[in-house]
Amino acid sequence: PEPPPVSEALQGDDLKALLHRQSRQVPPFVAECAFGYHQHVGQFEFPKFLHPEELRDASGKRPTEEGYTTSTLWVPTTLEEYKLVCNGTPPTPMMLAFWQTKSQHFDKVVLYKVGKFYEIFFFDAIICNRVCDLKWMNAKKEPHVGFPEVALHTHATKLVEAGYKVVVVEQVETVDEAMAAAGKKCAGV
């Protein structure tokens, strides 16, 4: 028989009770992501591939299917696929790099360095908002939080102590180098 959709398997208002009840049907990190999605879906927009009923691992398996790999996430591989699942909006180069990282580390909180700040998006942002008390960055309608680089140890420690695995992605080129690689000039140059 077809496994139940993740959104049907994850009903309830209490995260701890939900995780305990569903731990045999859905991996705990996936259950927490679905719970966060349902708590914030009216406040934020999520790409279609992050909707609980659409969630799949890199091989295309759903969380309720045998052989599902919690550490991977199916993400689009072409700009056209991204446009289809992201309300017609193509991702920025930074978000493409974020999704490439997240596709291999879905069950970890990804702290993505941009300049002198760490940016956290979607499910990871929901977790960091709750665990680290980080405030929403409301420039866009997507879950997004961040903190200055000097606070990395503090927030990474809070996440690890709360039971999460953390991936820290460092910037390897300067803004000037990135702009030059893209064939653009920086403001003031």
Side-chain angles (χ1 to χ4, degrees):
E2 179 77 9
V6 175
S7 58
E8 286 179 21
L10 300 170
Q11 299 297 320
D13 296 325
D14 178 27
L15 178 59
K16 286 183 182 180
L18 175 74
L19 292 175
H20 178 72
R21 196 171 58 246
Q22 297 301 326
S23 62
R24 286 184 171 72
Q25 291 182 13
V26 178
F29 187 83
V30 174
E32 183 166 1
C33 292
F35 183 80
Y37 171 86
H38 288 292
Q39 280 190 314
H40 296 284
V41 72
Q43 179 182 3
F44 297 116
E45 294 176 3
F46 293 80
K48 289 180 186 168
F49 62 92
L50 291 184
H51 294 194
E53 63 275 6
E54 300 292 331
L55 202 60
R56 298 182 182 276
D57 69 9
S59 66
K61 292 184 179 174
R62 293 175 31 192
T64 52
E65 292 179 317
E66 180 134 354
Y68 171 79
T69 305
T70 307
S71 64
T72 67
L73 172 69
W74 180 90
V75 298
T77 56
T78 67
L79 285 177
E80 287 306 313
E81 283 180 323
Y82 273 104
K83 287 180 185 178
L84 287 172
V85 297
C86 296
N87 302 322
T89 306
T92 64
M94 191 274 303
M95 285 306 292
L96 278 174
F98 168 79
W99 287 122
Q100 288 171 349
T101 301
K102 197 64 181 166
S103 73
Q104 297 303 309
H105 301 282
F106 178 62
D107 61 345
K108 299 166 189 78
V109 176
V110 175
L111 309 177
Y112 200 90
K113 191 169 184 183
V114 179
K116 295 197 176 277
F117 286 86
Y118 286 92
E119 307 284 333
I120 305 109
F121 303 97
F122 297 102
F123 296 138
D124 298 345
I126 293 169
I127 291 167
C128 288
N129 170 261
R130 182 177 52 77
V131 173
C132 301
D133 198 30
L134 296 177
K135 303 304 176 213
W136 297 116
M137 300 172 79
N138 290 325
K140 294 185 177 181
K141 287 208 45 114
E142 62 191 25
H144 178 202
V145 297
F147 58 84
E149 65 184 349
V150 297
L152 174 62
H153 181 75
T154 299
H155 293 303
T157 299
K158 285 180 184 178
L159 291 164
V160 170
E161 287 176 352
Y164 296 96
K165 300 173 195 170
V166 177
V167 171
V168 177
V169 179
E170 295 287 337
Q171 195 170 357
V172 294
E173 64 185 2
T174 66
V175 173
D176 291 337
E177 291 168 338
M179 297 297 271
K184 298 177 182 176
K185 289 187 176 181
C186 294
V189 176

